[in-house]
mmCIF file with all atom_site columns, all heavy atoms in Angstrom:
data_model
loop_
_atom_site.group_PDB
_atom_site.id
_atom_site.type_symbol
_atom_site.label_atom_id
_atom_site.label_alt_id
_atom_site.label_comp_id
_atom_site.label_asym_id
_atom_site.label_entity_id
_atom_site.label_seq_id
_atom_site.pdbx_PDB_ins_code
_atom_site.Cartn_x
_atom_site.Cartn_y
_atom_site.Cartn_z
_atom_site.occupancy
_atom_site.B_iso_or_equiv
_atom_site.pdbx_formal_charge
_atom_site.auth_seq_id
_atom_site.auth_comp_id
_atom_site.auth_asym_id
_atom_site.auth_atom_id
_atom_site.pdbx_PDB_model_num
ATOM 1  N N   . GLY A 1 53 ? 16.138 78.341 -59.460 1.00 0.00 ? 53 GLY A N   1
ATOM 2  C CA  . GLY A 1 53 ? 16.891 79.557 -59.620 1.00 0.00 ? 53 GLY A CA  1
ATOM 3  C C   . GLY A 1 53 ? 17.829 79.536 -60.756 1.00 0.00 ? 53 GLY A C   1
ATOM 4  O O   . GLY A 1 53 ? 17.738 78.669 -61.652 1.00 0.00 ? 53 GLY A O   1
ATOM 5  N N   . GLU A 1 54 ? 18.741 80.479 -60.840 1.00 0.00 ? 54 GLU A N   1
ATOM 6  C CA  . GLU A 1 54 ? 19.733 80.581 -61.940 1.00 0.00 ? 54 GLU A CA  1
ATOM 7  C C   . GLU A 1 54 ? 21.132 80.256 -61.431 1.00 0.00 ? 54 GLU A C   1
ATOM 8  O O   . GLU A 1 54 ? 21.544 80.706 -60.341 1.00 0.00 ? 54 GLU A O   1
ATOM 9  C CB  . GLU A 1 54 ? 19.713 81.999 -62.491 1.00 0.00 ? 54 GLU A CB  1
ATOM 10 C CG  . GLU A 1 54 ? 20.607 82.184 -63.658 1.00 0.00 ? 54 GLU A CG  1
ATOM 11 C CD  . GLU A 1 54 ? 20.607 83.575 -64.217 1.00 0.00 ? 54 GLU A CD  1
ATOM 12 O OE1 . GLU A 1 54 ? 19.717 83.853 -65.084 1.00 0.00 ? 54 GLU A OE1 1
ATOM 13 O OE2 . GLU A 1 54 ? 21.374 84.443 -63.795 1.00 0.00 ? 54 GLU A OE2 1
ATOM 14 N N   . LEU A 1 55 ? 21.853 79.506 -62.197 1.00 0.00 ? 55 LEU A N   1
ATOM 15 C CA  . LEU A 1 55 ? 23.218 79.047 -61.863 1.00 0.00 ? 55 LEU A CA  1
ATOM 16 C C   . LEU A 1 55 ? 24.103 79.513 -62.982 1.00 0.00 ? 55 LEU A C   1
ATOM 17 O O   . LEU A 1 55 ? 23.774 79.351 -64.161 1.00 0.00 ? 55 LEU A O   1
ATOM 18 C CB  . LEU A 1 55 ? 23.284 77.564 -61.655 1.00 0.00 ? 55 LEU A CB  1
ATOM 19 C CG  . LEU A 1 55 ? 24.621 77.102 -61.141 1.00 0.00 ? 55 LEU A CG  1
ATOM 20 C CD1 . LEU A 1 55 ? 24.977 77.632 -59.782 1.00 0.00 ? 55 LEU A CD1 1
ATOM 21 C CD2 . LEU A 1 55 ? 24.703 75.516 -61.044 1.00 0.00 ? 55 LEU A CD2 1
ATOM 22 N N   . SER A 1 56 ? 25.261 80.106 -62.587 1.00 0.00 ? 56 SER A N   1
ATOM 23 C CA  . SER A 1 56 ? 26.203 80.625 -63.619 1.00 0.00 ? 56 SER A CA  1
ATOM 24 C C   . SER A 1 56 ? 27.529 79.983 -63.403 1.00 0.00 ? 56 SER A C   1
ATOM 25 O O   . SER A 1 56 ? 27.906 79.633 -62.319 1.00 0.00 ? 56 SER A O   1
ATOM 26 C CB  . SER A 1 56 ? 26.328 82.140 -63.449 1.00 0.00 ? 56 SER A CB  1
ATOM 27 O OG  . SER A 1 56 ? 25.099 82.830 -63.619 1.00 0.00 ? 56 SER A OG  1
ATOM 28 N N   . ARG A 1 57 ? 28.165 79.812 -64.589 1.00 0.00 ? 57 ARG A N   1
ATOM 29 C CA  . ARG A 1 57 ? 29.654 79.440 -64.515 1.00 0.00 ? 57 ARG A CA  1
ATOM 30 C C   . ARG A 1 57 ? 30.403 80.655 -64.823 1.00 0.00 ? 57 ARG A C   1
ATOM 31 O O   . ARG A 1 57 ? 30.172 81.341 -65.808 1.00 0.00 ? 57 ARG A O   1
ATOM 32 C CB  . ARG A 1 57 ? 29.885 78.394 -65.575 1.00 0.00 ? 57 ARG A CB  1
ATOM 33 C CG  . ARG A 1 57 ? 31.325 77.904 -65.507 1.00 0.00 ? 57 ARG A CG  1
ATOM 34 C CD  . ARG A 1 57 ? 31.707 76.999 -66.634 1.00 0.00 ? 57 ARG A CD  1
ATOM 35 N NE  . ARG A 1 57 ? 33.147 76.648 -66.658 1.00 0.00 ? 57 ARG A NE  1
ATOM 36 C CZ  . ARG A 1 57 ? 33.773 76.087 -67.642 1.00 0.00 ? 57 ARG A CZ  1
ATOM 37 N NH1 . ARG A 1 57 ? 33.162 75.763 -68.696 1.00 0.00 ? 57 ARG A NH1 1
ATOM 38 N NH2 . ARG A 1 57 ? 35.034 75.871 -67.490 1.00 0.00 ? 57 ARG A NH2 1
ATOM 39 N N   . THR A 1 58 ? 31.395 80.865 -64.011 1.00 0.00 ? 58 THR A N   1
ATOM 40 C CA  . THR A 1 58 ? 32.251 82.061 -64.161 1.00 0.00 ? 58 THR A CA  1
ATOM 41 C C   . THR A 1 58 ? 33.731 81.768 -64.216 1.00 0.00 ? 58 THR A C   1
ATOM 42 O O   . THR A 1 58 ? 34.106 80.691 -63.708 1.00 0.00 ? 58 THR A O   1
ATOM 43 C CB  . THR A 1 58 ? 32.015 83.048 -63.007 1.00 0.00 ? 58 THR A CB  1
ATOM 44 O OG1 . THR A 1 58 ? 32.411 82.472 -61.750 1.00 0.00 ? 58 THR A OG1 1
ATOM 45 C CG2 . THR A 1 58 ? 30.595 83.523 -62.907 1.00 0.00 ? 58 THR A CG2 1
#
Side-chain angles (χ1 to χ4, degrees):
E54 183 179 273
L55 187 62
S56 303
R57 180 189 176 192
T58 62

